[in-house]
Every structure is written in C-alpha cells, then in structure tokens.
Amino acid sequence: MITWQLKPFAELTTIQLYQLLKLRVDVFVVEQQCPYPELDDKDHQKDVYHLLGYESDKLVACTRLLPKGVSYPSVSVGRVATAADHRGGGIGHQLLEESLRACQSLWPNESIEIGAQEYLAAFYERHGFVRTSDMYLEDGIPHIDMILEK
C-alpha cells in the first residue's frame, strides 16, 4: 500500500528532501550511469510540487510537478522515479496517475508536456500522452517530447 504526499519544496522535511534526492540520484545517475546536473534549480521554484510515494517510511516513488513556463510552455511532470526494488508491480502507473490527478487539481484543464526517455513511450501512451518530437539525446540518453492534451 502506497501513501501519497504532495508538497511544495518549502514544506519538505530535511528527511524527505534527502530521501527524494537519494532516490533520484540512485535511479538517474547511478543506475542509468548518467552523470548530469540533478540539482537544476527547478525543485524550489514557485508553484513546483513534489509527489512522494511511501511504503511505510520508505520513499519508493516520486515525481516533480512543474507549472507552465518552468520546463515547457505547458504544465510538466518530470523526474519520474520508482525504486528498483519496487518496479514491476504497477507502482509506476499509480505514480503517473497520481501525478496527473495532482496536476489537474493544481492546474485544471491544462495540457501536460514531458520529456520522456524514448524506451518509455508506450508507458506514457497508455496514459494518453502522444509524441510531439523526434528522438533527441539528453545527457546521452534518447528522449522524446510528449503531450497530454486537455
């Protein structure tokens, strides 16, 4: 059973911030062997929210929800991460569904744009996203832009 929390940066406890950054670094830097600037000055910007998924006291999934104009002209979901030992049981789909619900609550009737790793295109398509770009490399990893129109 996953417990979801939605918080702006200023409301994260130091433990939550540590867990959030550790999960993202574990997934995006260590696991994917991709040194990149994880701390990109977007986490703490106005109206940016963090969705945290806990199993007991362990953070097992997270996303970053960004208002229009921070990453894309539209609302955006990014830094979508699930702990390696919690994959395969549908938590990723729950995480994205919770993220989309939170975006709808925060920014009603807004389209959502994402920069997705290309191999995850079918995952996002299952949730209504459509491809809007050709493949491009971001930090050496193939990505595509996608949008969920409202």
Side-chain angles (χ1 to χ4, degrees):
M1 174 76 175
I2 305 297
T3 303
W4 301 101
Q5 297 180 26
L6 181 65
K7 294 187 171 192
F9 185 83
E11 293 180 16
L12 294 171
T13 67
T14 54
I15 295 296
Q16 287 174 319
L17 178 60
Y18 178 87
Q19 292 171 329
L20 172 69
L21 295 175
K22 183 177 185 326
L23 177 57
R24 289 179 2 189
V25 167
D26 285 351
V27 171
F28 300 124
V29 178
V30 177
E31 183 181 324
Q32 295 181 358
Q33 300 177 353
C34 182
Y36 79 107
E38 169 56 32
L39 301 178
D40 60 3
D41 285 321
K42 293 180 182 178
D43 289 307
H44 58 82
Q45 288 193 28
K46 184 179 186 316
D47 296 328
V48 171
Y49 285 82
H50 300 273
L51 180 65
L52 310 172
Y54 285 93
E55 186 175 82
S56 298
D57 290 336
K58 181 182 179 186
L59 181 67
V60 297
C62 64
T63 57
R64 178 169 72 179
L65 312 179
L66 305 108
K68 293 194 290 189
V70 176
S71 287
Y72 290 91
S74 301
V75 167
S76 181
V77 175
R79 299 296 201 265
V80 179
T82 302
D85 61 349
H86 281 73
R87 292 186 198 140
I91 291 175
H93 290 288
Q94 290 176 45
L95 173 63
L96 189 56
E97 289 165 8
E98 288 292 328
S99 297
L100 297 177
R101 271 194 285 280
C103 285
Q104 177 63 25
S105 176
L106 293 165
W107 307 291
N109 302 312
E110 293 286 344
S111 295
I112 300 170
E113 289 182 83
I114 61 172
Q117 292 185 13
E118 188 177 38
Y119 84 96
L120 291 170
F123 169 82
Y124 289 107
E125 287 167 351
R126 285 182 56 186
H127 295 273
F129 284 88
V130 295
R131 175 185 276 216
T132 59
S133 77
D134 291 331
M135 187 279 290
Y136 59 90
L137 291 178
E138 184 173 311
D139 301 312
I141 297 174
H143 279 71
I144 56 171
D145 290 330
M146 301 183 85
I147 194 165
L148 176 62
E149 296 278 1
K150 287 293 172 177

